[in-house]
Each structure stands twice: as C-alpha cells, then as structure tokens.
Amino acid sequence: MKREIIIFTLILVMTLAGCSSVKELMASEDLTINTKEELYQEVQDALKEGKAEFTFVTEELGQDDLEQLNLEHDGFYGSVSKYQIKTIHFLNRSYITLYCDISDNYYVEDAVLNGTELSEEQETAKKLKTACETILKETGDNSKSDYQKEKIIHDYIVKNVEYGYPDSSRDEDSDAYNAYGALVKGKAVCNGYAQAMKLLCDLSGVECEMVTGTADGENHAWNLICLDEEWYHTDVTWDDPEPDDPSRILYSYFNLDDSGMEISHTWEVENYPQASGTKYNYYLINDLFCEDFDAFKEKCRDIFEEDNPKNIQLLVGDYDEKRYSEENMQFLFQYSGADSLHMQTVGKGACTTLYFTLDYE
C-alpha cells in the first residue's frame, strides 16, 4: 500500500532595502529569531493561531533555512506559502515576513470549539465542518472515555475512507493529503487519514498529534494519542484493509507503544512524546493477546464455546509461519464448526495479528 506525504513549495520574494526604508526597519519591534529551532516553533505557533503572516528580525538565518520550513511541520494547520526578505547589509540584519496559507482544519476547529462564524467564501471548510459534526454525534456526550471516543473515530475512518486519490488527482494540492479528502470525499492517502484522525480527536477533546516518518521505507504519516497521560501510536491507514472492505476493521496498529511501532515505522523520536502506554492497546484491553501458540489455542476454544463469530482477530507474541501453519491450525474447524476459514497475518514479530474469516452452513 503506497503512502505519501505532501511537501509544500515555498515561493521566494527577496527585496534589498533601500536607504529610504532603513529608518523604518530599524524602528521595528518585531520578534528576533536567530536559531532554526526558534523559527520552527514560532511558525508552528503562528499556524496554530491562524496567523496569515508574521515578521521577524534575524542576523543568523537565511534563505536556506526558510526553504526547509514546511519540511518541519505536518501541515495540519497550514503551511508557509512564500516569504519576503529585506536586508540591511551594513547592519548584517534581515527582516523576514512569512506568508501562510491557513488550512480548513484550523477554521473548522475555530468554528466548532470557539463558535467563530465561517464566511461564505469558506465553502470547503463549511463542508468539512458539517461532516465532522455528523461524525461526532457518534462519539456521544462526555460520558464516554477518551479511549471509547478514539475507537469510534478510528472505526469510522476505517469503514468510510478508501485509500487512494479523489478525482484521480496526484497533484501536491490534491485533497488526498488532507482531512477534507478523507471525511468529505471519502478517499485519501496516509496524510489525509492522519489529518482526519487528529481533527476529529481535537474536536472530541482527545489529545492527538500527527507523526511524519517512514513505514517499510516509504514516507508515511500516523498519529499519537494521549490517554490517561500516556501516549500511544495509532496508524489508521494501516488498519484499513486494501482492497477496501468496510465490513472489516483491523486493530493491529491501534494504540501501540514505541517498541511495537518501531518494528515497522521510523520517526524522529526526539520530536515527539514518548509512547510508553500499554493499557489501552486494543488486544490487551479486550483480552485478545496470546503470548504463545498454546495460549492462542486455548483462547480460540473459549471464543467458539460462547459464539460462532464470522471473524476473529488475535495478537500473538510468538508468530512463526511453521508454528501457525495450515496443518497446525486444523483444530479451528473442530472448535468452530466452520465449513471454511481464511487467515490473514498483519504486522511483524511480536506485533503479529491473526485475522480469521469463517463461513458456516
């Protein structure tokens, strides 16, 4: 499954300040920024506040630093579209103005959480707001826990979003890369899935961040969720089966800790909260984790004694193709009474999920 992350292009507007503007620039009280770390934080804060532009003074930063700006942000609240540099050479000082494109996500959050009215021109934001409000009715009132809200949102996205490109467009500005594509058009790639997850979690009061990194060597995006002050990784894209099947929801990448996620994903660990939570892993909280093959066999017996489910999924801690071979799985027919079954493996190593689809007469 191909996952892509959109990278925005900056447009440079550079102006050499003439003598007539020196006095004006020297009188400026704009923010002073001289390190890339400070710059990235200021841009992040500005986007979260919906600022369309802001100016700062620098003696150390230059064009190369500005070109990297959008690579340091996930684009959820927007991006820097262009910048203007005015330089006073004899002072070795530059005045830089950043111009930002604010995303629909910001306007939707501002409208829902703060009651701000959307303008007539914000047609896509209005459609996204309507979609979010409809979906959020399923999360119910505050009686639901953050875990329950997260699972409802996760399940909705898996059921209703198909991996791919709306309108078959792969351009940089395609809706495949944003929450609008996922929640309004019903089709997106990983960045759109992750934006949709964050937007709905934010609106539900569940603390959530986007993560950008790689998975199986490809650029990828997913989420970090905070539950009871502990962080968990959730990758909705990888829990959505391909080809798309709305009746099947996987939880192989639902609330993993760092050690489980790093088996298949990589990210700049120092840029994100440490994910050490295990309590709310789907398989642990639902007693669907089997440490070894004997525990797996016993769990299957218990499940089929109570019910004849059409599908089951279990996390196993000792997966090996030979150990979980077709020959060794024949006991499932005896326990279930099924006429046929199909097994799918998802994940790697100690995070391997076995998903069974069963047919009965």
Side-chain angles (χ1 to χ4, degrees), residues 87-104:
T87 302
I88 304 176
H89 289 289
F90 69 87
L91 292 179
N92 191 31
R93 178 182 299 174
S94 295
Y95 292 77
I96 299 175
T97 301
L98 301 180
Y99 300 90
C100 304
D101 287 335
I102 305 302
S103 74
D104 285 338

Side-chain angles (χ1 to χ4, degrees), residues 328-342:
N328 290 340
M329 304 288 260
Q330 291 301 306
F331 68 87
L332 287 169
F333 288 101
Q334 176 187 347
Y335 288 173
S336 67
D339 295 308
S340 64
L341 64 86
H342 171 75

Side-chain angles (χ1 to χ4, degrees), residues 29-67:
E29 296 181 358
D30 288 318
L31 177 69
T32 298
I33 302 175
N34 282 316
T35 69
K36 290 187 288 186
E37 291 73 20
E38 290 177 314
L39 176 59
Y40 299 153
Q41 186 62 54
E42 288 296 331
V43 171
Q44 179 175 308
D45 292 344
L47 292 172
K48 284 185 177 180
E49 295 171 9
K51 292 182 179 179
E53 66 177 80
F54 75 96
T55 300
F56 64 94
V57 182
T58 185
E59 296 178 355
E60 301 294 335
L61 301 175
Q63 182 178 347
D64 290 344
D65 301 308
L66 300 177
E67 291 289 349

Side-chain angles (χ1 to χ4, degrees), residues 283-332:
Y283 298 102
L284 293 178
I285 200 171
N286 290 286
D287 192 25
L288 295 173
F289 170 67
C290 306
E291 185 175 356
D292 53 32
F293 186 81
D294 289 337
F296 166 74
K297 190 172 182 179
E298 183 178 352
K299 176 60 67 175
C300 289
R301 183 190 62 199
D302 293 343
I303 290 173
F304 291 116
E305 280 182 353
E306 295 182 4
D307 195 10
N308 295 111
K310 292 185 178 180
N311 58 70
I312 60 172
Q313 52 183 305
L314 297 168
L315 179 67
V316 296
D318 66 338
Y319 180 75
D320 177 85
E321 287 187 7
K322 293 182 179 179
R323 184 178 297 113
Y324 290 86
S325 66
E326 180 178 347
E327 180 181 358
N328 290 340
M329 304 288 260
Q330 291 301 306
F331 68 87
L332 287 169

Side-chain angles (χ1 to χ4, degrees), residues 39-233:
L39 176 59
Y40 299 153
Q41 186 62 54
E42 288 296 331
V43 171
Q44 179 175 308
D45 292 344
L47 292 172
K48 284 185 177 180
E49 295 171 9
K51 292 182 179 179
E53 66 177 80
F54 75 96
T55 300
F56 64 94
V57 182
T58 185
E59 296 178 355
E60 301 294 335
L61 301 175
Q63 182 178 347
D64 290 344
D65 301 308
L66 300 177
E67 291 289 349
Q68 300 298 313
L69 274 177
N70 286 328
L71 299 179
E72 298 296 325
H73 302 283
D74 53 42
F76 180 80
Y77 289 109
S79 62
V80 179
S81 57
K82 62 181 180 180
Y83 52 85
Q84 183 181 68
I85 303 176
K86 295 182 178 180
T87 302
I88 304 176
H89 289 289
F90 69 87
L91 292 179
N92 191 31
R93 178 182 299 174
S94 295
Y95 292 77
I96 299 175
T97 301
L98 301 180
Y99 300 90
C100 304
D101 287 335
I102 305 302
S103 74
D104 285 338
N105 300 326
Y106 169 81
Y107 294 114
V108 170
E109 288 194 1
D110 193 33
V112 174
L113 299 177
N114 302 320
T116 304
E117 291 290 333
L118 294 172
S119 68
E120 291 299 325
E121 291 76 22
Q122 294 175 301
E123 183 179 351
T124 56
K126 284 186 172 182
K127 290 181 179 179
L128 181 57
K129 176 177 177 286
T130 299
C132 289
E133 289 174 332
T134 301
I135 297 165
L136 291 175
K137 290 179 181 178
E138 298 187 27
T139 64
D141 54 33
N142 291 329
S143 63
K144 286 187 171 61
S145 68
D146 284 353
Y147 169 80
Q148 291 171 322
K149 292 177 183 179
E150 179 205 5
K151 184 177 180 299
I152 290 170
I153 294 168
H154 169 278
D155 292 359
Y156 178 90
I157 295 173
V158 171
K159 288 180 181 178
N160 293 278
V161 181
E162 179 183 358
Y163 186 88
Y165 295 84
D167 310 318
S168 300
S169 173
R170 293 174 180 254
D171 294 338
E172 287 185 352
D173 60 353
S174 169
D175 288 326
Y177 302 104
N178 57 46
Y180 184 88
L183 301 179
V184 177
K185 293 189 173 181
K187 205 166 190 178
V189 293
C190 64
N191 210 67
Y193 276 77
Q195 281 202 16
M197 187 71 183
K198 175 171 170 55
L199 179 58
L200 292 171
C201 282
D202 286 353
L203 297 177
S204 300
V206 179
E207 190 172 0
C208 177
E209 291 192 11
M210 280 184 61
V211 184
T212 56
T214 63
D216 282 350
E218 296 185 8
N219 290 336
H220 192 48
W222 64 96
N223 299 96
L224 277 165
I225 308 290
C226 188
L227 302 171
D228 291 349
E229 299 183 352
E230 290 190 305
W231 289 90
Y232 299 80
H233 292 273

Side-chain angles (χ1 to χ4, degrees), residues 1-5 163 165 189-191 215-216 218-221 235 237-240 242:
M1 185 186 299
K2 184 177 181 182
R3 289 103 175 162
E4 299 185 23
I5 299 173
Y163 186 88
Y165 295 84
V189 293
C190 64
N191 210 67
D216 282 350
E218 296 185 8
N219 290 336
H220 192 48
D235 189 338
T237 309
W238 275 30
D239 277 347
D240 193 5
E242 192 181 31

